[in-house]
Amino acid sequence: MSRRVAILLSGGGSNMVALARSMTGDHPARPVLVMANSETAGGLEKARDMGIDTAWVDHRPFKGDRPAFEDALHARLVQADPDIVCLAGFMRVLTEGFVRRWQGRMLNIHPSLLPKYRGLHTHARAIEAGESEHGCTVHEVTAELDEGPILGQARVPVQPADTPDRLAARVLEMEHRLYPAVLRRFAAGDRRPVMLP
Ligand code: GRF
């Protein structure tokens, strides 16, 4: 039986599209819900166009009451009954309480070679530090931000003329290859890391 996958996003959802497109044929999983923290997240429309159920829970009315926001998110997720939750550009920090409810079943993609450059502005920071390579990581979500067992990494050489935007674009292309590869393996019950290229 197919594993059920929910995808959480905040933005344009290019990783969501890559994940959803990958889940066909003999893939062990299927997308059952795409959920955002804003009605206007571009990824919601893309998901609807792909025939995937969508939902959103706006974080703003909760005004800093993170647990209450997460309770609402959790309630909607439970309705979709996912086996796996993929964070794909979901820009809300999640509390330990929420993470614990989905631990071992929740993945995230982060645009750096973790443990380097947790947090934001990873591309600018990698260039500034004079890194010769950068990349992206898929990891299991644990209570610490951008921590958790690494399930895959893809490396991208930094070029001398790189700006943060140029580098980000090349890393994003690799994200679109890495995340589907990790999800396929994870959904089949295999947690060995995927290393690209
Ligand atoms: C990606 O760079 C991802 O690594 C980061 O947020 C961005 C999401 O992009 N966590 P998209 O919405 O998937 O296009």
Coordinates of all heavy atoms in Angstrom, one line a residue, residues 12-15 89 109 111 172 175, ligand 1:
G12 N 6.8 29.4 -3.1 CA 6.4 29.1 -4.5 C 6.3 27.6 -4.7 O 5.6 27.1 -5.7
G13 N 6.9 26.8 -3.9 CA 6.7 25.4 -3.9 C 7.4 24.6 -5.0 O 6.9 23.6 -5.5
S14 N 8.5 25.1 -5.5 CA 9.2 24.3 -6.5 C 9.7 22.9 -6.0 O 9.6 21.9 -6.8 CB 10.4 25.1 -7.1 OG 11.4 25.2 -6.2
N15 N 10.1 22.8 -4.8 CA 10.4 21.5 -4.2 C 9.2 20.6 -4.1 O 9.2 19.4 -4.4 CB 11.1 21.7 -2.8 CG 12.6 21.9 -3.0 OD1 13.3 21.0 -3.3 ND2 13.0 23.1 -2.6
G89 N 10.4 24.3 2.3 CA 10.3 25.7 2.3 C 9.2 26.2 3.2 O 8.6 27.2 3.0
I109 N 14.1 20.0 3.9 CA 15.3 20.3 3.0 C 15.8 21.6 3.4 O 15.1 22.6 3.6 CB 14.9 20.2 1.5 CG1 16.2 20.4 0.7 CG2 13.9 21.2 1.1 CD1 16.2 19.7 -0.6
P111 N 19.0 24.5 2.5 CA 20.0 24.8 1.5 C 21.4 25.1 2.0 O 21.9 26.2 1.9 CB 19.4 26.1 0.9 CG 18.6 26.8 2.0 CD 18.1 25.6 2.9
L172 N 19.2 25.1 -5.8 CA 17.8 24.8 -5.9 C 17.6 23.6 -7.0 O 16.8 22.7 -6.7 CB 16.9 26.0 -6.3 CG 15.4 25.8 -6.2 CD1 15.0 25.5 -4.8 CD2 14.7 27.1 -6.7
E175 N 18.3 20.6 -5.2 CA 17.3 20.3 -4.2 C 16.2 19.5 -4.9 O 15.7 18.5 -4.4 CB 16.7 21.6 -3.7 CG 17.6 22.4 -2.7 CD 17.0 23.6 -2.2 OE1 15.8 23.6 -1.9 OE2 17.7 24.6 -2.0
Ligands
GRF1 C1 14.4 26.2 -0.8 O1 15.6 26.8 -1.0 C2 14.5 25.3 0.4 O2 15.8 24.8 0.6 C3 14.3 26.3 1.5 O3 13.2 27.1 1.0 C4 13.3 27.1 -0.4 C5 11.9 26.7 -0.9 O4 11.8 26.9 -2.2 N1 14.0 25.6 2.8 P1 10.5 26.4 -3.0 O5 9.3 27.0 -2.3 O6 10.5 24.9 -2.9 O7 10.6 26.8 -4.4

